Amino acid sequence: MNKKLSEVQNRSPGGRSMAPPKAAGELNAVQLETDLLKRWADEKTFQTSIDVRRNGAPFIFLEGPPTANGKPGIHHVVARTYKDLVCRWKAMEGFLVERKGGWDTHGLPVEIEVQKRLDLMSNEAIEAFGMAEFNQACRESVWTYEAAWREMTERMAYWVDLDNPYVTLDNDYVESAWWALKQMFDKGLLYRGHKVLPFCPQTGTSYSSHEVALGYKEVEEPSVYVKFKLTDDDASILAWTTTPWTLPGNVGLAVGPEVTYVRCRIKEAAGEHWEGAGGADVGEEVILAKDLMKEVLRHHVDIVDEFLGADLVGRSYEPLFPGAVPKGDSTTAWTVLEADWVTTTDGTGVVHTAVMYGEDDYNLGMEAGLPAHHTVAMDGSFVTGTHPELDGRYVKACDETIISLLSSPKGTNGKGPESGLLYREKAYAHDYPHCWRTDHPLLYYAMDSWFVRMTAVKENLLNFNDQVEWAPDWVGEGRFGEWLRNVKDWAISRERYWGTPLPVWRSESGEMKCVGSIKELQEEVARAVAAGIANPDCPDDVDLHRPIVDGFKLLSDSGEVMHREPFVMDCWFDSGCASFAQWHHPFENEEVFNASFPVDYICEGVDQTRGWFYTLLAVSTTVFDQPAYKRCLSLGLILDAEGKKMSKSRGNIVDPWDHFNREGADATRWYMVTAGAPWNPMKFDPNGVRETYAKMFLTLWNVYKFHADYAALDGFDPEASTVPVAKRPALDRWVLSRLGTVANDYHENFVNWQFHKAGRDLEDFVVNDLSNWYVRRSRRRLWDEADSNDKRSCQHTLHEVLLTVCRLVAPVAPFMVDEIHRNLTGASVHTAPWPAGVPGSLEGATSDDWDEVAAKATATLPPTDPELEATMALVRELAEAGRRIRIDGNRRQRLPCAQGWIVAGPDLSEFHDLLAEELNVETMLVENDLDRFQRIELAPNFRALAPKARSTVNEVAQAIRTAEDPEALLQAINAGGAEVLGVTVEASDVDVKRVERPGFAAQTVEVPDADGASLHVSLVLDMNDSPALLSKGMARDITRRVQAQRKAMDLELEATIDLEVWMVNGPTMEEADEAWVAAETRCAGCVFHPEGSTPPEGAETFEVDGTTVHFTVA
RNA sequence: GCGCGGGUGGCUUAGUCGGUUAGAGCACCCGGCUGAUAACCGGGAGGUCGCAGGUUCAAGUCCUGCCUCGCGCACCA
């Protein structure tokens, strides 16, 4: 860097608005970003970016609250990038976009973390430890990784207010949740029930369907075919189960009344291939569905009888485990029952029924009056009295014991067949629900629970879902819609400690009261105290958690004592309340809430479909009778570079900091957004981040550096001496037009959620159009030390293009573009307007409705000129064609050609100089006689030809393509139609291609013109040499070598040298060319020694086209 | 089992209404160009567009079946 530049670089940045930019230094992206973070903090740029849009229409974003008791990973960075980019974009569009942070702080994940740490692996252990102490530990544990989250969030530049977040454990938040529950209670949507629910013995709690959905895993387990011996008959009924542990609880067998069953007699002993335990004796008789005989039986049998299931109903059989279930006053226990849901798709067509451990079993049991008795305790072990060998053991560990008990002769009750009660065992692979936190298999278990009657509002759910704009749409219609159509009542209570307590008090006789606020609680407590029920104090700031709230006893309307139902809420209920609880609705902030419900935009991973996306809608539907959000972006899963799911156990988690500290957050974010559609699964390839950095950001920086360095040197003032666009050279007008086109497409893609397409196109513009063509072609324009119109045009153009590019990039990658924008304008890009317009700032605009025309008028984009863009595309094609010609003709690039001809196409005279320079041609000419260098080729146009030619289209096409004399054929066609193989071919049936004639150093390019039609333009180069050309070519080769040597010697740009040149077998150098070498290489002295002189030892040497050149630089 | 979304050179991907030569980037090889950046330009090699049928003059594209990956669903007893 020369002196002048370094002086400029050291100039203080303060107090400048539209002064000349500082020179740009070398890029250190990480340093640049961390410096900017400080600056944003100091200047409160985030807050300012909101404040400057204070009068804009609000655009409401709702943050899905993360849990801060786990480390943030790269998938969180992805989600936060999409949240951030939409908010930033909308803000730039002039909307007021406030972004409140949030934390999810209740629930199982927290409790389990604490349980592990304190070694409290059962509910008893927790209660022995003390619920208050335990919850205190939870309250603290919640913030374990808050700092890590904060650092990640700030470093990646996710702008969200973390200083005033909503926190689900706050009293205000809990109070709002209570209020919501009371609304449901009052509408009759909240009820207490006894149902079979998936239950985790380790965490001691049941789960709702959306939690169960999180934990399906494929497992292989023993399934068993069991003989149920009829009491009044020697035959046994076969039934199948995959859960042997439910067999002691068996109290019934269900058959399909319309299903055909058979009674079979075992004809001969089984073969040697018998696998596992079980068996049957010859002569023994079994009953099962006819359709399943082949599937089930492993013996040859005779069919003794055939009948419908209805005929079996009422038959009684011997209990498998006598005494495990007391019969009580049931008249139906251990008999055959009918159920229309019994099918013959698997099993035996007979369903073993254990009332307490299956949903259908339970319903059937209640209907038929079977005894409802638990054989399994809440900790997952068999209750005492089930069987001496099973009592107290964990049920899933008893499979083998149960199998061997059943296998013993005459069975467990001594009344079974001699061969035992087990017919067969079979390994069975199926998906089975597991605890999403502990991975333990869940047990279906009948228990008391609280439910929200979602089934009652199903129509509304579907309606409201239709109003949501989903991205992608198929998640809303398909996956989410499917879920809603099958909606079940929401089991919201948890037998746990750390969560929003269920605010329902209940008396012995079943009177209930739901409390909806602290004030109400105080009043109820006071009433109870007045009636003589002792109660602790209930101050205004009473902690709305267990065990405090458990301590309050209320008074029922009939005067009974009421105790709180000892449950906490599903923590998904908490986050489902976020849209209003974040504002402590309805107790505070009425205006804010009214203005921000429903919210405009939420965005989370697709795994939240059954999670947050659902609970938000579930709560808003039941409480407000409204949808909670208008737009929902559902993101695809993050996979590793191999396409595997990222998980701790696989060890393939990508740490975002690896990239923040190497390529920076800009490159990381831009990579993630351009890697694919947001909703598609993304293979995160660390190398892709590096590539993005090298291509997009390094290139952008160097374009900027090129501009800023010269702008600083020249004291360029973007507000002074502007050159009107119309007066600028075509190259400038071209890049501005491209910018306009690209920016409009970019905006269009944003609107359609196609952020990846937008980003890819813009990157292509920056790398290809801006850097590799505009800047490359403009470099010499800025070298000019004198002030000139041309130079100023270039500077203004660069300035304008860079500004707009910065603004377009800013929502996606907010760092580097801010640095650039600040240096160019003195203001942050994050307070700048969106180039495609600022609808949010329009009078009367709302987040989803504004005056399109007025919005367009606020755009700050240059006008587009499709014709100029098409022309430049052609020029670039021709430049590339020229290189191809030289390679084919074996003529090096630095050796000039005397002339080049452009054949056909539009007038390119404006670009002749540019082309001459690119192509290294002395004179560009236009050849008007097309036939001199071009010939015609005809290509069939199938779309037009096919309907006429029908099945002969291929032959006709071939005939057109291979016509002996295409010119003559074309003439005939144009003269009104030519007969080809019986088909009249007209002008519209063929495409005319003009290609170069063989024998010339020529290439033809095909480009679309502004109207989309094809242009065929040829370039021809004169490949003849002359002494003058050889001299010029050599001068360029020498110059290039000397420049390389200067660079190798690390000389200052302005340093002068002494150059001496010796040539062997060289061309005769012209004086002008020698002078040109001297000027280009900044020679103080320059000597070309005559042919035959001897160069000194150590001179640089190179060869070109048979000439050996030696030179020294001093 | 049912539903959704994928499968295009070694990798990442584009591909419109079906139109005859499937386009790009990375990596690789050869050459060129460069006071131009981790670059740029030209060329090369590398594709039975998951498989098999079908519709059609014509299929990566439409239809059917199958395979395979991912995700989701669940009265799997």
Side-chain angles (χ1 to χ4, degrees), chain A residues 168-189:
Chain A
T168 58
L169 64 74
D170 283 350
N171 249 19
D172 285 353
Y173 197 97
V174 173
E175 191 178 25
S176 288
W178 277 21
W179 170 82
L181 276 165
K182 189 176 167 73
Q183 306 312 300
M184 297 177 184
F185 186 86
D186 289 348
K187 291 179 186 175
L189 295 172

Side-chain angles (χ1 to χ4, degrees), chain A residues 878-900 915-924 1000-1003 1019-1025 1029-1030 1032-1033 1036-1037 1104-1105:
Chain A
L878 290 174
E880 286 170 21
R883 295 209 181 87
R884 240 173 292 144
I885 295 170
R886 283 176 177 275
I887 285 163
D888 291 350
N890 207 10
R891 187 186 185 91
R892 65 185 209 273
Q893 182 71 30
R894 290 190 204 91
L895 179 59
C897 293
Q899 24 193 2
L915 272 173
E917 207 176 306
E918 269 295 308
L919 297 170
N920 196 11
V921 167
E922 304 273 281
T923 321
M924 284 308 308
F1000 291 96
Q1003 288 267 324
L1019 176 72
V1020 187
L1021 293 184
D1022 178 354
M1023 303 292 266
N1024 292 307
D1025 290 334
L1029 293 175
L1030 292 172
K1032 267 199 182 135
R1036 286 194 58 169
D1037 273 301
V1104 54
D1105 281 353

Side-chain angles (χ1 to χ4, degrees), chain A residues 133-181:
Chain A
E133 290 74 12
F134 178 75
N135 273 356
Q136 186 54 36
C138 288
R139 192 186 279 273
E140 287 157 14
S141 158
V142 157
W143 304 109
T144 310
Y145 290 100
E146 195 221 358
W149 273 87
R150 200 178 254 275
E151 279 165 29
M152 178 276 278
T153 302
E154 280 169 8
R155 181 61 187 86
M156 71 166 285
Y158 173 39
W159 273 358
V160 64
D161 183 359
L162 289 182
D163 296 326
N164 304 291
Y166 68 90
V167 182
T168 58
L169 64 74
D170 283 350
N171 249 19
D172 285 353
Y173 197 97
V174 173
E175 191 178 25
S176 288
W178 277 21
W179 170 82
L181 276 165

Side-chain angles (χ1 to χ4, degrees), chain A residues 650-721:
Chain A
R650 276 208 188 82
N652 56 355
I653 304 250
V654 172
D655 184 348
W657 289 91
D658 289 350
H659 295 291
F660 293 165
N661 290 331
R662 201 173 340 149
E663 296 94 353
D666 272 348
T668 310
R669 290 173 57 136
W670 190 264
Y671 164 72
M672 293 187 305
V673 170
T674 53
W679 43 83
N680 281 342
M682 179 173 81
K683 290 186 192 173
F684 191 95
D685 182 2
N687 198 43
V689 182
R690 195 205 63 83
E691 205 179 298
T692 294
Y693 173 74
K695 289 198 83 118
M696 176 66 181
F697 290 96
L698 204 50
T699 306
L700 180 59
W701 184 257
N702 281 305
V703 168
Y704 159 67
K705 183 166 144 58
F706 172 73
H707 170 62
D709 286 357
Y710 286 100
L713 260 178
D714 294 337
F716 166 71
D717 180 349
E719 283 185 332
S721 56

Side-chain angles (χ1 to χ4, degrees), chain A residues 479-769:
Chain A
R479 186 170 294 193
F480 197 53
E482 188 69 16
W483 171 258
L484 295 179
R485 281 187 286 278
N486 295 321
V487 77
K488 297 247 165 58
D489 283 351
W490 178 4
I492 52 159
S493 62
R494 298 289 179 270
E495 300 80 358
R496 298 294 313 189
Y497 309 98
W498 178 239
T500 297
L502 181 74
V504 178
W505 273 256
R506 186 166 175 272
S507 73
E508 199 82 1
S509 65
E511 288 174 282
M512 289 193 270
K513 209 167 247 177
C514 183
V515 173
S517 68
I518 291 177
K519 187 158 169 275
E520 215 177 309
L521 179 62
Q522 289 171 322
E523 286 164 5
E524 290 294 339
V525 167
R527 244 167 53 85
V529 170
I533 303 171
N535 258 311
D537 275 346
C538 185
D540 289 345
D541 62 349
V542 59
D543 176 30
L544 295 181
H545 281 98
R546 299 187 76 181
I548 309 288
V549 289
D550 297 334
F552 298 117
K553 294 174 207 64
L554 307 186
L555 182 70
S556 81
D557 289 344
S558 70
E560 282 184 84
V561 179
M562 303 170 90
H563 295 274
R564 197 184 71 81
E565 286 283 282
F567 301 101
V568 295
M569 306 294 304
D570 177 2
C571 63
W572 293 99
F573 176 81
D574 287 359
S575 50
C577 293
S579 57
F580 56 92
Q582 67 167 335
W583 302 117
H584 195 202
H585 176 82
F587 306 101
E588 270 185 88
N589 302 311
E590 205 50 32
E591 271 178 37
V592 184
F593 170 75
N594 287 334
S596 61
F597 186 88
V599 304
D600 284 299
Y601 171 62
I602 61 171
C603 164
E604 304 291 335
V606 69
D607 51 326
Q608 292 298 329
T609 310
R610 271 83 189 171
W612 199 49
F613 295 163
Y614 173 62
T615 57
L616 270 180
L617 184 65
V619 172
S620 72
T621 302
T622 48
V623 175
F624 295 97
D625 214 20
Q626 275 191 71
Y629 45 90
K630 297 182 196 166
R631 287 171 205 81
C632 179
L633 175 55
S634 159
L635 303 175
L637 238 73
I638 308 301
L639 311 171
D640 70 7
E642 260 93 64
K644 298 252 161 55
K645 198 171 172 171
M646 279 190 196
S647 68
K648 274 184 201 157
S649 53
R650 276 208 188 82
N652 56 355
I653 304 250
V654 172
D655 184 348
W657 289 91
D658 289 350
H659 295 291
F660 293 165
N661 290 331
R662 201 173 340 149
E663 296 94 353
D666 272 348
T668 310
R669 290 173 57 136
W670 190 264
Y671 164 72
M672 293 187 305
V673 170
T674 53
W679 43 83
N680 281 342
M682 179 173 81
K683 290 186 192 173
F684 191 95
D685 182 2
N687 198 43
V689 182
R690 195 205 63 83
E691 205 179 298
T692 294
Y693 173 74
K695 289 198 83 118
M696 176 66 181
F697 290 96
L698 204 50
T699 306
L700 180 59
W701 184 257
N702 281 305
V703 168
Y704 159 67
K705 183 166 144 58
F706 172 73
H707 170 62
D709 286 357
Y710 286 100
L713 260 178
D714 294 337
F716 166 71
D717 180 349
E719 283 185 332
S721 56
T722 318
V723 182
V725 172
K727 294 236 167 92
R728 296 187 201 174
L731 185 64
D732 293 347
R733 284 184 280 117
W734 166 77
V735 78
L736 287 168
S737 172
R738 282 293 301 145
L739 175 71
T741 302
V742 168
N744 280 318
D745 291 350
Y746 189 83
H747 175 74
E748 231 15 74
N749 277 324
F750 260 49
V751 170
N752 296 316
W753 306 90
Q754 311 268 350
F755 305 111
H756 58 304
K757 287 189 181 168
R760 287 171 181 177
D761 290 352
L762 186 62
E763 183 170 330
D764 187 62
F765 170 78
V766 168
V767 172
N768 250 320
D769 293 336

Side-chain angles (χ1 to χ4, degrees), chain A residues 79-107:
Chain A
R80 306 200 135 208
T81 297
Y82 283 105
K83 293 177 183 184
D84 192 48
L85 92 81
V86 169
C87 289
R88 286 179 185 264
W89 163 46
K90 284 290 161 184
M92 289 178 79
E93 280 195 329
F95 292 97
L96 174 61
V97 190
E98 288 181 286
R99 286 152 260 181
K100 196 176 180 65
W103 297 107
D104 199 7
T105 53
H106 280 151

